[in-house]
């Protein structure tokens, strides 16, 4: 004759039961916070601007590199002055096959380089080459002046 025995767990003491409930609640809160953090990060990522706003560009000069460096035929070395008014920004752009040095002549400017914000102050020399996609924002109250010198194919 076979007798089946059913094992029942004894009831948890009140302190253990309370800890179990708190543990489940804490996991739920952590999950909600993690979800909120992911959503906030997604919402904070703003699309890069495709236009210039409050930007003026002045050509300062250029040199045809064909007579200087035969391998650079069809390219120019050019210098420009770019002013970005407070609240202004440049359009997002790439430096693929167009290396540059950008000197920050005046102001504090935020460069968004490959999705990462980098602050630059007057006196900074900022290189950019292959693999760099960026734009500039003036979040200050005074105009920013950049002096880029780049190798350019017109």
């Amino acid at each position: 004759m076979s007798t089946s025995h059913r094992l029942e767990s004894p009831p948890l003491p009140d302190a253990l039961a309370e800890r179990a409930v708190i543990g489940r609640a804490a996991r739920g809160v952590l999950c909600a916070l993690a979800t909120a953090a992911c959503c906030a990060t997604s919402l904070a990522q703003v699309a890069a601007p495709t236009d210039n706003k409050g930007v003026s560009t002045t050509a300062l000069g250029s040199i045809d590199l064909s007579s200087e460096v035969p391998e650079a035929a069809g390219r120019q070395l050019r210098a420009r002055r770019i002013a970005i008014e407070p609240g202004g920004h440049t359009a997002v752009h790439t430096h693929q096959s167009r290396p540059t040095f950008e000197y920050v002549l005046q102001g504090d400017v935020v460069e968004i380089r490959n999705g990462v914000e980098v602050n630059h102050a007057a006196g900074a020399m900022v290189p950019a080459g292959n693999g760099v996609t960026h734009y500039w924002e003036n979040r200050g109250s005074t105009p920013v002046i950049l002096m880029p010198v780049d190798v350019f194919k017109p």
Side-chain angles (χ1 to χ4, degrees):
M1 187 184 297
S2 146
T3 309
S4 68
H5 294 284
R6 195 169 155 204
L7 297 175
E8 292 188 22
S9 300
L12 291 173
D14 288 341
L16 288 177
E18 186 176 321
R19 272 198 279 188
V21 168
I22 291 172
R24 283 192 298 275
R27 281 191 299 274
V29 168
L30 287 174
C31 184
L33 287 173
T35 302
C38 288
C39 292
T41 300
S42 295
L43 292 174
Q45 294 176 352
V46 178
T50 57
D51 63 339
N52 288 323
K53 174 186 169 192
V55 175
S56 61
T57 302
T58 305
L60 300 176
S62 65
I63 298 172
D64 182 356
L65 293 176
S66 299
S67 61
E68 303 293 328
V69 183
E71 296 81 14
R75 297 193 181 274
Q76 296 178 351
L77 178 64
R78 70 175 176 176
R80 296 174 294 149
R81 177 186 183 275
I82 298 176
I84 308 172
E85 296 300 320
H89 58 76
T90 65
V92 65
H93 57 280
T94 181
H95 282 274
Q96 191 67 34
S97 299
R98 190 172 61 89
T100 186
F101 274 112
E102 304 212 29
Y103 181 72
V104 181
L105 182 66
Q106 175 183 301
D108 294 320
V109 65
V110 178
E111 175 195 20
I112 295 79
R113 176 183 284 242
N114 298 332
V116 177
E117 291 189 5
V118 182
N119 294 303
H120 301 287
M125 179 64 84
V126 184
N130 286 335
V132 172
T133 298
H134 71 160
Y135 61 98
W136 302 88
E137 289 184 351
N138 182 351
R139 297 178 184 170
S141 58
T142 60
V144 165
I145 299 177
L146 302 174
M147 304 286 290
V149 176
D150 62 353
V151 175
F152 174 70
K153 187 171 186 174

